PDB file of all heavy atoms in Angstrom:
ATOM      1  N   LEU A 196     111.511 106.437 109.201  1.00  0.00           N
ATOM      2  CA  LEU A 196     110.953 105.697 108.078  1.00  0.00           C
ATOM      3  C   LEU A 196     110.162 106.669 107.203  1.00  0.00           C
ATOM      4  O   LEU A 196     109.365 107.447 107.720  1.00  0.00           O
ATOM      5  CB  LEU A 196     110.033 104.601 108.616  1.00  0.00           C
ATOM      6  CG  LEU A 196     109.956 103.279 107.851  1.00  0.00           C
ATOM      7  CD1 LEU A 196     111.334 102.656 107.695  1.00  0.00           C
ATOM      8  CD2 LEU A 196     109.018 102.326 108.576  1.00  0.00           C
ATOM      9  N   PRO A 197     110.374 106.669 105.878  1.00  0.00           N
ATOM     10  CA  PRO A 197     109.598 107.567 105.012  1.00  0.00           C
ATOM     11  C   PRO A 197     108.102 107.383 105.213  1.00  0.00           C
ATOM     12  O   PRO A 197     107.612 106.269 105.433  1.00  0.00           O
ATOM     13  CB  PRO A 197     110.035 107.145 103.605  1.00  0.00           C
ATOM     14  CG  PRO A 197     111.399 106.563 103.786  1.00  0.00           C
ATOM     15  CD  PRO A 197     111.364 105.878 105.123  1.00  0.00           C
ATOM     16  N   GLN A 198     107.344 108.482 105.136  1.00  0.00           N
ATOM     17  CA  GLN A 198     105.915 108.441 105.429  1.00  0.00           C
ATOM     18  C   GLN A 198     105.127 107.579 104.449  1.00  0.00           C
ATOM     19  O   GLN A 198     104.056 107.080 104.783  1.00  0.00           O
ATOM     20  CB  GLN A 198     105.349 109.859 105.447  1.00  0.00           C
ATOM     21  CG  GLN A 198     105.782 110.656 106.668  1.00  0.00           C
ATOM     22  CD  GLN A 198     105.180 112.042 106.678  1.00  0.00           C
ATOM     23  OE1 GLN A 198     105.754 112.985 106.149  1.00  0.00           O
ATOM     24  NE2 GLN A 198     104.022 112.181 107.285  1.00  0.00           N
ATOM     25  N   ASP A 199     105.653 107.434 103.226  1.00  0.00           N
ATOM     26  CA  ASP A 199     104.950 106.613 102.237  1.00  0.00           C
ATOM     27  C   ASP A 199     105.433 105.169 102.225  1.00  0.00           C
ATOM     28  O   ASP A 199     105.131 104.398 101.315  1.00  0.00           O
ATOM     29  CB  ASP A 199     105.087 107.222 100.840  1.00  0.00           C
ATOM     30  CG  ASP A 199     106.547 107.416 100.426  1.00  0.00           C
ATOM     31  OD1 ASP A 199     107.436 107.091 101.233  1.00  0.00           O
ATOM     32  OD2 ASP A 199     106.780 107.899  99.305  1.00  0.00           O
ATOM     33  N   SER A 200     106.166 104.773 103.260  1.00  0.00           N
ATOM     34  CA  SER A 200     106.714 103.423 103.347  1.00  0.00           C
ATOM     35  C   SER A 200     105.607 102.384 103.507  1.00  0.00           C
ATOM     36  O   SER A 200     104.713 102.523 104.352  1.00  0.00           O
ATOM     37  CB  SER A 200     107.683 103.336 104.536  1.00  0.00           C
ATOM     38  OG  SER A 200     107.940 102.006 104.902  1.00  0.00           O
ATOM     39  N   GLU A 201     105.656 101.326 102.718  1.00  0.00           N
ATOM     40  CA  GLU A 201     104.691 100.233 102.858  1.00  0.00           C
ATOM     41  C   GLU A 201     104.843  99.546 104.212  1.00  0.00           C
ATOM     42  O   GLU A 201     103.856  99.094 104.800  1.00  0.00           O
ATOM     43  CB  GLU A 201     104.882  99.221 101.725  1.00  0.00           C
ATOM     44  CG  GLU A 201     104.457  99.732 100.356  1.00  0.00           C
ATOM     45  CD  GLU A 201     104.522  98.649  99.292  1.00  0.00           C
ATOM     46  OE1 GLU A 201     104.736  97.475  99.666  1.00  0.00           O
ATOM     47  OE2 GLU A 201     104.359  98.976  98.107  1.00  0.00           O
ATOM     48  N   ALA A 203     105.755 100.992 107.049  1.00  0.00           N
ATOM     49  CA  ALA A 203     105.105 101.847 108.040  1.00  0.00           C
ATOM     50  C   ALA A 203     103.596 101.634 108.006  1.00  0.00           C
ATOM     51  O   ALA A 203     102.950 101.496 109.055  1.00  0.00           O
ATOM     52  CB  ALA A 203     105.436 103.312 107.776  1.00  0.00           C
ATOM     53  N   ASN A 204     103.031 101.591 106.819  1.00  0.00           N
ATOM     54  CA  ASN A 204     101.584 101.387 106.696  1.00  0.00           C
ATOM     55  C   ASN A 204     101.158 100.030 107.241  1.00  0.00           C
ATOM     56  O   ASN A 204     100.094  99.898 107.859  1.00  0.00           O
ATOM     57  CB  ASN A 204     101.160 101.517 105.236  1.00  0.00           C
ATOM     58  CG  ASN A 204     101.307 102.924 104.700  1.00  0.00           C
ATOM     59  OD1 ASN A 204     101.272 103.887 105.459  1.00  0.00           O
ATOM     60  ND2 ASN A 204     101.488 103.058 103.395  1.00  0.00           N
ATOM     61  N   ARG A 255      99.511 113.697 105.334  1.00  0.00           N
ATOM     62  CA  ARG A 255     100.055 113.595 103.984  1.00  0.00           C
ATOM     63  C   ARG A 255      99.009 113.048 102.999  1.00  0.00           C
ATOM     64  O   ARG A 255      98.293 112.095 103.312  1.00  0.00           O
ATOM     65  CB  ARG A 255     101.286 112.678 104.018  1.00  0.00           C
ATOM     66  CG  ARG A 255     102.079 112.586 102.716  1.00  0.00           C
ATOM     67  CD  ARG A 255     103.238 111.618 102.927  1.00  0.00           C
ATOM     68  NE  ARG A 255     104.010 111.405 101.736  1.00  0.00           N
ATOM     69  CZ  ARG A 255     105.067 112.134 101.397  1.00  0.00           C
ATOM     70  NH1 ARG A 255     105.460 113.123 102.173  1.00  0.00           N
ATOM     71  NH2 ARG A 255     105.746 111.870 100.295  1.00  0.00           N
ATOM     72  N   ASN A 256      98.935 113.680 101.833  1.00  0.00           N
ATOM     73  CA  ASN A 256      98.014 113.269 100.751  1.00  0.00           C
ATOM     74  C   ASN A 256      96.556 113.266 101.204  1.00  0.00           C
ATOM     75  O   ASN A 256      95.764 112.415 100.797  1.00  0.00           O
ATOM     76  CB  ASN A 256      98.393 111.883 100.214  1.00  0.00           C
ATOM     77  CG  ASN A 256      99.792 111.847  99.639  1.00  0.00           C
ATOM     78  OD1 ASN A 256     100.249 112.809  99.018  1.00  0.00           O
ATOM     79  ND2 ASN A 256     100.497 110.741  99.840  1.00  0.00           N
TER      80      ASN A 256
END
Side-chain angles (χ1 to χ4, degrees):
L196 214 56
Q198 288 181 270
D199 56 359
S200 163
E201 290 186 9
N204 292 335
R255 187 181 177 90
N256 300 323

